[in-house]
């Protein structure tokens, strides 16, 4: 108590000044219109800037969650697009509200590991059989192909990249629907080769290349790339076409795994006839 | 501090307050867009209080005078806040400007007692502080700093001249 009194005696003058000044500023802020507005605006500015900072921090900590959510949303949109592409003839049969009527289902996936400098390149996805991934499913991004699933463990899956010597994917040129096979010659990871297109078909530089949908792995009409160069090797009956990919396989970090709900049905039906 | 000093100070306070709130409040010195000239003469009540006036009393009288002026100027708190700052720094400025031989018991910071140059520098410093505080509180933001600065300059100079003339006319020793 004595100390408090001593403090008052010593700093009473200053305390008194601050008290009276406080009263004066209170009067200014409460009874003068323009000063009142400025005061409210300034305090608002301060509080909003503080709020903004906290918001930014919260958003940053939720970034992973937001990313996952966006990827799932993207997957849903893409699968609707793909399915409509396939069933374009009778759109009326698609009930866009129910996911069950769609032929293809997409599983969002993250790429943990990938190579692109070797002759035979592979990728690893951070999702496995727990998430519904099975061997022989296609892997795509929003604007291109990635590869085909080979092996699956509970939490990871191994994907054969399109940059692999054994990867052969059926593709077609959009303009005239000419079919060919997409392979990689091992040189430039951004340019693949479309072979087996006979030389009587006209192919121009800049033509768009899509997937043909002749296999159960990739649906019809996925974007692949554009024709960059057309050469006809001596004595050959088919073109050798360089296709520049839309998506850069070097800078991938997310992908979608395509689940074809009727692939088993199709494969069984087709193998029955072969076995005859 | 004798009774004569107190009487003189009270009379000066009343006179300057009436002059400020009844006469100077009506003087319009704006020339077209040039609206920076004002007369703020009431701070001299505080400035001319005797040197050994209790500091707390200076503060309280500053508060009361500020409230009275604000009542007439219809700006609650603005003059009060500025005059409180002036009253608060008065002791500090007096200490800074202390003559070599120090202040005596009877010293009042007037022209007659302290001499012309001391007096002018004292009231100039105090007036600049007061006007800057006043126009800052009036704007309540430093966004218009240049305007505050112009207001300060063009209020200090005419007020200084006006008060010096008045002071010379009345020749008050206390």
């Amino acid at each position: 108590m004595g100390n408090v009194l001593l403090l008052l005696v010593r700093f009473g003058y200053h305390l008194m000044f601050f008290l009276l000044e406080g009263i004066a500023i209170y009067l200014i802020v409460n009874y003068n219109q323009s000063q009142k507005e400025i005061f409210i605006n300034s305090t608002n500015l301060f509080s909003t800037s503080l709020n903004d900072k906290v918001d930014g921090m919260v958003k940053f900590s939720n970034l992973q969650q937001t990313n996952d959510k966006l990827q799932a949303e993207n997957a849903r949109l893409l699968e609707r697009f793909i399915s409509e592409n396939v069933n374009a003839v009778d759109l009326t049969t698609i009930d866009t509200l129910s996911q069950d009527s769609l032929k293809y289902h997409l599983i969002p996936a993250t790429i943990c590991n990938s190579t692109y400098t070797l002759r035979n390149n592979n990728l690893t996805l951070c999702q496995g059989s727990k998430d519904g991934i099975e061997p022989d499913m296609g892997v795509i991004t929003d604007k291109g192909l990635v590869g085909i699933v080979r092996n699956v463990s509970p939490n990871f899956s191994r994907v054969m990249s399109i940059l692999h010597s054994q990867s052969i994917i059926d593709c077609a040129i959009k303009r005239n629907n000419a079919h060919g096979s997409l392979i990689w010659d091992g040189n430039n990871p951004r340019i693949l080769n479309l072979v087996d297109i006979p030389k009587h078909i006209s192919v121009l530089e800049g033509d768009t290349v899509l997937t043909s949908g002749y296999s159960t792995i990739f649906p019809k009409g996925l974007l692949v790339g554009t024709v960059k160069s057309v050469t006809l090797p001596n004595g050959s009956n088919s073109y050798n076409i360089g296709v520049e990919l839309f998506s850069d396989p070097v800078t991938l970090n997310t992908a979608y795994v395509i689940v074809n709900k009727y692939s088993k049905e199709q494969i069984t039906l087709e193998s029955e006839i072969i076995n005859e | 501090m004798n009774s004569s000093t107190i009487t003189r100070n009270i009379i000066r306070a009343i006179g300057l307050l009436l002059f400020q709130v009844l006469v100077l409040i009506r003087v319009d010195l704006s020339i077209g867009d040039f609206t920076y000239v004002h007369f703020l003469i009431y701070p001299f009540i505080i400035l001319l209080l005797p040197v050994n006036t209790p500091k707390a009393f200076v503060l309280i009288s500053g508060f009361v005078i500020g409230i009275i002026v604000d009542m007439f100027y219809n700006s609650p708190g603005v003059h009060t806040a500025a005059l409180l700052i002036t009253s608060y720094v008065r002791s500090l400025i007096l200490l800074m400007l202390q003559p070599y031989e120090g202040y005596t018991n009877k010293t009042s910071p007037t022209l007659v007692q302290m001499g012309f140059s001391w007096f002018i520098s004292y009231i100039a410093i105090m007036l600049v502080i007061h006007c800057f505080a006043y126009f800052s509180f009036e704007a309540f933001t430093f966004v218009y700093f240049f305007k505050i600065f112009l207001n300060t300059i063009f209020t200090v100079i005419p007020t200084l001249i006006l008060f010096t003339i008045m002071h010379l006319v009345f020749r008050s020793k206390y």
Side-chain angles (χ1 to χ4, degrees), chain B residues 100-124:
Chain B
Y100 184 66
E101 59 273 21
Y103 300 113
T104 64
N105 242 358
K106 290 182 177 175
T107 310
S108 283
T110 52
L111 183 61
V112 179
Q113 281 193 28
M114 304 304 295
F116 189 77
S117 65
W118 188 94
F119 180 74
I120 288 292
S121 55
Y122 170 64
I123 61 171

Side-chain angles (χ1 to χ4, degrees), chain B residues 22-83:
Chain B
L22 297 181
V23 181
L24 293 183
I25 198 170
R26 282 155 226 272
V27 177
D28 182 14
L29 286 166
S30 55
I31 308 158
D33 284 341
F34 193 80
T35 57
Y36 301 116
V37 184
H38 308 268
F39 283 123
L40 295 179
I41 213 156
Y42 65 91
F44 290 102
I45 303 167
I46 297 295
L47 300 195
L48 296 186
L49 286 175
V51 175
N52 62 352
T53 317
K55 289 181 191 171
F57 179 77
V58 175
L59 264 190
I60 291 170
S61 47
F63 186 75
V64 173
I65 292 163
I67 290 284
I68 293 169
V69 174
D70 273 332
M71 271 159 55
F72 285 90
Y73 270 83
N74 230 338
S75 59
V78 182
H79 288 276
T80 316
L83 198 59

Side-chain angles (χ1 to χ4, degrees), chain A residues 50-109:
Chain A
L50 207 69
N51 269 343
D52 265 6
K53 287 210 177 87
V54 174
D55 248 29
M57 261 139 72
V58 171
K59 264 185 199 154
F60 185 74
S61 63
N62 289 344
L63 216 57
Q64 186 57 48
Q65 243 173 320
T66 318
N67 243 339
D68 291 349
K69 226 165 74 186
L70 281 175
Q71 216 194 346
E73 210 175 296
N74 263 342
R76 254 179 290 132
L77 288 171
L78 252 178
E79 75 194 24
R80 180 162 304 164
F81 171 74
I82 291 167
S83 299
E84 282 183 9
N85 219 357
V86 171
N87 296 6
V89 190
D90 48 355
L91 267 176
T92 48
T93 58
I94 297 182
D95 179 2
T96 46
L97 287 177
S98 105
Q99 296 290 326
D100 295 337
S101 71
L102 303 178
K103 186 180 172 187
Y104 293 98
H105 172 60
L106 293 191
I107 301 167

Side-chain angles (χ1 to χ4, degrees), chain A residues 13-14 16-18 20-25 27-29 31-32 34-36 38-39 42, chain B residues 55-56 59-60 63 67 75-78 80-81 84-85 87-88 91 137-141:
Chain A
Y13 172 61
H14 306 279
M16 191 174 168
F17 167 69
F18 285 115
L20 292 176
E21 192 69 38
I23 294 171
I25 289 174
L27 288 175
I28 294 176
V29 170
Y31 297 103
N32 294 273
S34 66
Q35 278 94 332
K36 191 179 189 171
I38 290 170
F39 179 76
S42 318
Chain B
K55 289 181 191 171
L59 264 190
I60 291 170
F63 186 75
I67 290 284
S75 59
V78 182
T80 316
L84 273 171
I85 286 180
S87 320
Y88 184 68
S91 58
F137 278 116
E138 195 191 31
F140 216 62
T141 160

Side-chain angles (χ1 to χ4, degrees), chain A residues 115-119 121 143-146 161-164 182-194 209 223-229 241-252:
Chain A
T115 59
Y116 48 85
T117 49
L118 311 174
R119 180 64 186 97
N121 296 294
K143 49 183 183 177
L145 308 177
V146 175
S161 170
I162 49 171
L163 307 178
H164 193 289
L182 193 68
I183 58 168
W184 187 50
D185 60 5
N187 292 329
N188 187 342
R190 288 175 193 84
I191 292 178
L192 274 73
N193 292 56
L194 186 60
V209 178
L223 290 173
V224 177
T226 52
V227 172
K228 201 173 184 222
S229 62
I241 300 166
V243 178
E244 191 175 22
L245 298 179
F246 286 127
S247 67
D248 189 349
V250 174
T251 59
L252 294 173

